[in-house]
Structures are given as C-alpha cells and as structure tokens.
Amino acid sequence: MTGHLLFALWTYLLAAMPFGVIVTTLAGGAVDIRTAGSGNIGATNVARLYGWGLALTVLALDMAKGALPILMAQFLWPESSLWWIGTVAMTAFVGHCFPVYLDFRGGKGVATAGGIMMALSPAPTLLALAAWSLTIATTGKSSLSSLTAAVALIMGATLLDSGILPVVLVLSIGVTATHIANIRRLMRGEESPVVRSV
C-alpha cells in the first residue's frame, strides 16, 4: 500500500512539471505564456506565441509525463487491476491540470491524457488523434479538436478496447471540464483559431 501511495505522489509531481513554462523559459522567450495568449501552459498556447517548433517539444514532454507513469505502473504491478491503472491515469491528469509548482493553475490536460491513452491502448488513441488532426486542419480551433478527439476516443474504445472504457470516460469528462470556458466561446462563435484552417 505504501508503494502505491509513493508511486501516486511521484506521478503527481512528475505530471505537475510545467513543461510549457520550462521550455519557453530555457529557450529565452521574453513572453510568459501564463500571461499572454490564452494564458494556458500547454502546447497550444506555446504554438500561438512561439510557433510549432517549441510547441512540439512541449507536446512530446506533456505526453511523456502521462505515458511514463502508466508504463511504469504496468511494469511494477503487472497483475494490477484497471482501477489502479485508472488511479495512476487520473493522478497524472490532475497533476498537469493542477500543478503544485504553479499554485494549481495548469493546462487543460489534452496532451497528458493523450500520452496516458497511447500507453494504455494505442488503437483507439490513434483514432482520436486522427479526429483531432482532421478537426484542427478544417477549423483551426484547438478546443473543438480536443473535444472531438474525446468523443472519438470513447467511440474507439467502445469498438476496439471496451475493457478500458471506464478510464476513457473519466478522462474524457476531465478534458470536457477543463474546456468549459472554450465550449461557451464556441457556442457564442467567439473561439479564436490557433492555426489557420485549410
């Protein structure tokens, strides 16, 4: 039990690392992503303010901090239940969204959730990634792309890996919750694109 608690704490502290802030600061960026653009610390706002070069680095790191705890939990506890893996997944998601290092003001958790799901079940995750890519290419709106990907992930898990559906549903609810303000702007037609649509 102590091992599980320590691992959960490590997972939170790892996932709470604000790589968007760290990467842009190390790159010598003069603009604080927490006070410019959307104010979000994730890859989308980094892309908006610094371009996709730095944003892809942030994206990879944010995905890794979701994937690594899942892979390690599966290695350390190969016979563990889905509930333990789900607990690790949600701890990583919460760590990114509510990081202790930034007064619990973090990102929206999309990349971290993507990393979690890529480690847990690649097939439905790739379907969700395709849905995200198609939506952002046609609309330019990251929030709509993320919400579409969440729906695609649920559909993909239902069809391809129904055993992980409880984790998928909780993560999808979490992603939706972090996008409430975006959903309101989308409904009012006020959501700004992060990239130009095709």
Side-chain angles (χ1 to χ4, degrees), residues 91-137:
T91 301
F93 181 81
V94 169
H96 176 79
C97 297
F98 305 99
V100 64
Y101 311 117
L102 297 180
D103 296 326
F104 304 102
R105 298 175 182 176
K108 296 183 182 295
V110 177
T112 301
I116 290 166
M117 289 308 308
M118 190 61 76
L120 190 57
S121 185
T125 308
L126 290 173
L127 179 63
L129 177 60
W132 184 93
S133 300
L134 179 61
T135 306
I136 200 156

Side-chain angles (χ1 to χ4, degrees), residues 27 41-42 48 55 72 77 104 106 122 144 161-162 166 168 180 184 194 196:
I41 66 168
R48 182 182 288 113
M72 289 187 64
W77 294 279
F104 304 102
L144 181 60
D161 194 354
S162 60
V168 169
I180 292 298
R184 290 171 179 161
V194 67
R196 183 175 297 177

